[in-house]
Amino acid sequence: MKVTVTVNGEPVAAEVEDRLLLVHYLREVAGLTATNIGCDTTSCGACTVLLNGESVKSCTVLAAQADGSEVVTVEGLAGPGGELHPMQRAFHAEHGLQCGFCTPGMVMAAISLLRENPAPTEEQVRSGLEGNLCRCTGYHNIVRAILAAARGAAE
Ligand code: FES
Ligand code: FES
């Protein structure tokens, strides 16, 4: 079937199999490989993107379901001059990553979290990240980064 998804502001149209997952569409059709695949059990969150403004695990959505929708991946966050998104800057400043594998999904989940709750408590950040796993950091610096981004957004 023909699927057209606006990805990071650009329309991407392709003939795809009905069963193609959105994460494969992003990586293989749109050529945007920063969205990672970390499991086959819908549990890691490495594939998190924004679909019509809400975070979703793109391995749980069919490309066909996203037809006509807007998707933002981590590649779409930087500004026109390449300046990092405030959440990316906060992850950098607070050392919120080690290997970086979970980071694209973590950043997208964090952006969605702050959209829903611009001034979360530490507890709310930790529970908001329950769907995103990190094997490296123990979450401490990730949580600090999100709280720092929230403070920045509030300033
Ligand atoms: S790849 Fe693990 S939740 Fe999507
Ligand atoms: S930084 Fe390595 S999995 Fe999160």
Side-chain angles (χ1 to χ4, degrees):
M1 68 174 291
K2 174 96 179 282
V3 169
T4 304
V5 183
T6 301
V7 184
N8 300 333
E10 300 285 334
V12 178
E15 200 66 42
V16 301
E17 284 190 47
D18 295 358
R19 64 194 177 122
L20 185 76
L21 296 171
L22 179 59
V23 68
H24 294 298
Y25 186 87
L26 294 171
R27 290 177 58 86
E28 290 150 30
V29 178
L32 297 170
T33 54
T35 301
N36 286 324
I37 302 169
C39 70
D40 55 10
T41 53
T42 316
S43 52
C44 75
C47 62
T48 303
V49 299
L50 301 182
L51 175 62
N52 294 330
E54 305 226 336
S55 68
V56 295
K57 293 179 176 178
S58 59
C59 72
T60 68
V61 179
L62 294 168
Q65 290 174 294
D67 185 34
S69 300
E70 303 244 353
V71 169
V72 178
T73 71
V74 78
E75 290 101 330
L77 292 181
E83 62 276 16
L84 294 179
H85 184 280
M87 188 62 76
Q88 293 173 305
R89 291 205 303 272
F91 268 66
H92 181 254
E94 299 293 333
H95 307 287
L97 62 145
Q98 286 184 30
C99 80
F101 194 82
C102 70
T103 310
M106 246 349 142
V107 167
M108 302 315 285
I111 288 170
S112 179
L113 193 155
L114 289 197
R115 278 190 190 158
E116 283 170 27
N117 180 1
T121 64
E122 179 175 338
E123 243 356 89
Q124 287 170 329
V125 170
R126 287 184 185 276
S127 72
L129 290 183
E130 271 172 3
N132 290 72
L133 305 181
C134 176
R135 296 292 296 272
C136 299
T137 71
Y139 302 95
H140 194 61
N141 289 354
I142 293 172
V143 172
R144 278 176 32 166
I146 297 168
L147 291 171
R151 284 196 301 276
E155 279 163 12

